[in-house]
Amino acid sequence: MTTMPIRKYAERHGLSADSIAESLSDERGADIGPDDEAVIADLDDFRESVYASAIAELQDAAEGVDDARDDLDAAERNLRRSVQEALEDGLPATRVAQVLGVSRARVYQIRDGKR
């Protein structure tokens, strides 16, 4: 059972010694300070829990981006369909452009599915 000062471990791994000490204090129901010694395996467990939390946050953020891309793709398809229908119904491209706040050339790009 090898031990190391919490502060030294924290510095080596870019972690907060205070956070580690607080977590170990809560876990053990005892007051542990950042300058106290702790079992390296316990410190490694804390580090992995920090990484697991960060990984979960990264995965959630990436999923949010994917969801937003899906929503954007659907909105762009809807806009393209609406532009196509408006032009087919005889609405002038200049009026479509005015409504959308884009150029007339952009109206045709939207209609044709060009970004």
Side-chain angles (χ1 to χ4, degrees):
M1 185 163 73
T2 308
T3 63
M4 173 182 282
I6 293 171
R7 189 173 308 283
K8 183 176 180 180
Y9 183 91
E11 288 171 1
R12 284 188 181 176
H13 296 284
L15 299 170
S16 163
D18 291 331
S19 293
I20 296 172
E22 183 178 326
S23 177
L24 292 175
S25 293
D26 291 346
E27 184 179 295
R28 296 180 183 163
D31 190 25
I32 297 173
D35 294 314
D36 291 341
E37 296 260 330
V39 176
I40 291 177
D42 293 341
L43 297 172
D44 288 341
D45 287 345
F46 172 83
R47 183 170 50 123
E48 286 305 313
S49 73
V50 169
Y51 290 164
S53 176
I55 288 168
E57 285 184 36
L58 287 169
Q59 289 170 331
D60 288 346
E63 187 176 302
V65 169
D66 288 342
D67 291 346
R69 281 191 185 118
D70 291 344
D71 291 344
L72 178 59
D73 289 344
E76 287 177 341
R77 284 191 304 274
N78 186 45
L79 177 62
R80 184 172 7 135
R81 181 190 49 75
S82 295
V83 167
Q84 289 168 345
E85 289 175 1
L87 294 172
E88 288 170 3
D89 289 345
L91 190 62
T94 53
R95 182 67 176 119
V96 173
Q98 183 183 32
V99 170
L100 296 179
V102 298
S103 69
R104 183 173 172 270
R106 181 69 184 126
V107 168
Y108 293 115
Q109 289 176 336
I110 293 168
R111 178 198 65 188
D112 298 338
K114 298 181 180 176
R115 293 198 165 198

